[in-house]
Amino acid sequence: MIYMHYKRHMDGTSASFFPPFFSPHPSFCSCAAFFWSHPFLSVSHFSPAAMQFPSALVLFFALFATALAAPLREIESRAAAAVFKTTTYNALSISGGKAGNAKAEALAKLSGLNTNDLANVATGDIKFLNSVNQIANDAETKAFNPAIEKASGAAKTALQNGKIKNKVLKLTATVLKLQAQAAQGDDVAEKLATEQKKLNKNIDLDIAAAGQASTALSFNASTK
């Protein structure tokens, strides 16, 4: 019986409480040790028939701990597997240069993400992608929009092209985040469809302006 394995372990006559095939979580061992070592719960207080209950209880917790082990390891793995590091908006910006290639430029900035294994994207990377969306949106409303209002002629067109490229970066990060969340079981299908439509629209606008000058604006913000 499992209890007898444990009893011999507590007496120092056996090296193992558990069967060879089972390696329990440390917290389970602590709980089991308390249960069996507590004076009130000592074997002397139970009849042979009653002893079947605590033995079954220990077996139940053993199986329960085993079932929890795999998902816990998976969660820990995701937490440790983040590929993105904190960076600035200016380092991420794709608004400069020429219009027409924003889609590829945005994907290049976020190329550390394994898009073939979105189900295992780390929580930290999902937060990073969300942060890219936020700082790019802030750059749009606090930098590009005011500058465009004040500009005219070719300078205004270049700023508008830069704003479109900034939108492509922002929405690419958003779509990747939602795709990862969907792959991990979140119900984001409707939002993903909406954001993908926005992204496609801005990619088309960028392609329509291919070859035109595109202006980048410096903006003081960092990812989280």
Side-chain angles (χ1 to χ4, degrees), residues 72-213:
L72 286 174
R73 282 194 298 269
E74 182 178 354
I75 292 172
E76 291 171 356
S77 175
R78 287 183 184 175
V83 297
F84 293 121
K85 306 297 182 183
T86 300
T87 188
T88 64
Y89 168 79
N90 292 338
L92 286 168
S93 176
I94 62 170
S95 293
K98 300 287 185 180
N101 199 37
K103 178 181 178 179
E105 292 175 18
L107 288 173
K109 289 291 184 177
L110 304 172
S111 62
L113 196 70
N114 183 0
T115 56
N116 294 317
D117 190 22
L118 291 173
N120 289 310
V121 171
T123 300
D125 288 331
I126 291 177
K127 291 180 179 179
F128 175 89
L129 293 170
N130 187 64
S131 185
V132 172
N133 170 282
Q134 292 174 338
I135 63 175
N137 189 68
D138 287 344
E140 178 183 335
T141 59
K142 297 177 182 179
F144 280 101
N145 287 351
I148 290 171
E149 288 180 6
K150 297 176 182 178
S152 61
K156 185 170 187 175
T157 299
L159 282 167
Q160 288 173 329
N161 290 336
K163 176 181 174 179
I164 293 300
K165 293 182 72 174
N166 181 68
K167 280 178 170 286
V168 172
L169 173 67
K170 174 182 74 173
L171 292 166
T172 297
T174 303
V175 167
L176 287 173
K177 179 197 75 170
L178 292 170
Q179 287 175 338
Q181 290 176 323
Q184 294 176 13
D186 291 352
D187 184 11
V188 294
E190 184 175 350
K191 185 170 180 59
L192 175 56
T194 298
E195 297 302 309
Q196 184 68 64
K197 185 177 180 180
K198 292 179 184 178
L199 174 58
N200 293 343
K201 176 183 177 181
N202 282 279
I203 289 174
D204 289 343
L205 289 172
D206 176 67
I207 292 173
Q212 295 180 11

